[in-house]
Amino acid sequence: MDTQKDGKTPNLSVEEQHDVEKNQPPRAAVLHEIIRTQGDQELERSVAALWWSALAAGLTMGLSLMAMGLLNSRLPDGEHFKVIASFGYCAGFLAVILARQQLFTENTLTAVLPVMTKPTLNNFGRLLRLWSVVLVGNLCGTLLVAYVMLHLPIFDTKTDLAFLDIGRKVMENDASKMFAKGIVSGWMIATMVWMIPSMESAKMWIIILITYLMALGDFTHIVVGSAEVSYLVFAGELPWKDFWLVFAGPTLAGNIIGGSFIFALLSHAQIRSESGPPKQSADRGKPDPQQVKK
């Protein structure tokens, strides 16, 4: 009985071996380089370009609060209906990511990889510049959209009450819970960003899966949460001090740690630990069958 010394399936043609190679998922190093390149491009953008994109993203993220409020106000009361209403959380993320707007928690991975690859003072400076501009732009957008949603006669009373309930739910967490849940949220967003290049055709479903799980777990996110909690502030139910000290500060720290210091650092360490050149494809270096016939 014939055995294959290399463990490969016998009787594969050159074309079939090529199909096998072509259908392999990209190596982690390839994903790392794709995201690193994207991050380097973001770091090169001007302050004005970053600001307007980040502001637009903050406004767009108001769709998550709007969708959850509308679903909650129109569905019957009950925990099982909250599972359906949580799908509204995905709306803002879908719009922002598919529109290629600047979202702070995406940049905790993409913009960090170039710095980890080349940790120079110039790169650290570029990272801090991007983070500062994008974070301020995102927060200005979410605060503005929360103010407009509260003060303009857009929604009915039941929907307005649903918006308040969403903010109250977030503020049931103390600062330590905001921080811990923010770590998980930052890690999940970084996971989403890492997955998308390998399955670009399924981008929409990846975004929905990750953000829906974030909503179900009540994990805190600095951008979406700022719309939810500032709605309470503008309604007079929460002082600004609690917004910054109980919600924003701990959540921001958690998102950065989860996205940058855990996911990005471990992913970068994985790539650095890989040694040796990539394996050659099965038909690399072999003569083209068509050329042989000629």
Side-chain angles (χ1 to χ4, degrees):
M1 183 174 65
D2 292 334
T3 59
Q4 293 294 312
K5 294 180 180 179
D6 57 4
K8 293 182 180 179
T9 304
N11 303 322
L12 289 180
S13 67
V14 172
E15 289 79 7
E16 290 169 333
Q17 292 177 20
H18 178 71
D19 289 339
V20 171
E21 292 289 335
K22 186 173 65 174
N23 287 284
Q24 291 299 310
R27 295 192 308 132
V30 175
L31 298 178
H32 181 280
E33 182 59 18
I34 291 172
I35 297 170
R36 187 204 65 78
T37 302
Q38 292 174 348
D40 203 50
Q41 292 171 351
E42 298 299 336
L43 291 171
E44 289 295 326
R45 296 182 68 180
S46 67
V47 170
L50 290 172
W51 163 258
W52 290 114
S53 181
L55 180 64
L59 293 170
T60 305
M61 287 303 289
L63 287 173
S64 289
L65 174 60
M66 186 186 303
M68 285 191 294
L70 289 170
L71 286 171
N72 276 307
S73 65
R74 275 130 180 94
L75 289 170
D77 293 333
E79 285 300 317
H80 49 294
F81 289 108
K82 300 296 182 184
V83 174
I84 301 174
S86 294
F87 273 111
Y89 193 83
C90 309
F93 286 97
L94 277 168
V96 167
I97 296 172
L98 295 179
R100 302 291 298 169
Q101 295 171 344
Q102 287 287 338
L103 182 64
F104 176 79
T105 45
E106 274 192 284
N107 286 323
T108 58
L109 175 65
T110 53
V112 168
L113 290 186
V115 179
M116 290 184 175
T117 303
K118 191 177 180 182
T120 63
L121 286 176
N122 180 57
N123 276 343
F124 276 111
R126 292 197 304 162
L127 175 64
L128 292 177
R129 179 188 72 112
L130 181 142
W131 273 5
S132 300
V133 174
V134 172
L135 178 60
V136 172
N138 284 171
L139 292 181
C140 287
T142 52
L143 295 182
L144 178 59
V145 77
Y147 183 87
V148 169
M149 288 170 63
L150 176 68
H151 287 94
L152 291 187
I154 302 173
F155 304 101
D156 56 34
T157 303
K158 192 173 182 181
T159 305
D160 290 336
L161 292 175
F163 293 148
L164 290 172
D165 287 338
I166 292 170
R168 291 170 187 147
K169 179 69 174 177
V170 177
M171 292 308 297
E172 288 178 2
N173 300 296
D174 58 23
S176 62
K177 288 182 179 179
M178 296 283 192
F179 174 71
K181 291 183 177 183
I183 292 176
V184 179
S185 178
W187 169 75
M188 292 177 74
I189 292 294
T191 302
M192 178 187 72
V193 174
W194 187 270
M195 290 170 64
I196 286 174
S198 65
M199 296 188 67
E200 191 71 29
S201 60
K203 176 189 285 190
M204 184 178 73
W205 301 112
I206 293 172
I207 298 169
I208 291 173
L209 171 65
I210 297 297
T211 56
Y212 178 61
L213 290 176
M214 287 170 58
L216 286 181
D218 293 323
F219 300 122
T220 52
H221 186 275
I222 183 60
V223 183
V224 181
S226 65
E228 297 168 341
V229 178
S230 65
Y231 193 93
L232 288 180
V233 176
F234 293 130
E237 288 197 15
L238 188 76
W240 279 111
K241 181 184 71 173
D242 288 350
F243 174 89
W244 295 111
L245 298 182
V246 179
F247 163 71
T251 299
L252 175 61
N255 288 169
I256 292 174
I257 290 174
S260 298
F261 296 109
I262 295 180
F263 191 94
L265 186 60
L266 292 177
S267 300
H268 183 71
Q270 172 194 353
I271 304 307
R272 291 294 298 270
S273 65
E274 289 184 353
S275 59
K279 294 181 179 180
Q280 292 185 344
S281 60
D283 57 347
R284 187 175 297 170
K286 294 183 179 180
D288 188 339
Q290 299 299 325
Q291 295 294 332
V292 172
K293 289 180 182 179
K294 292 180 181 179

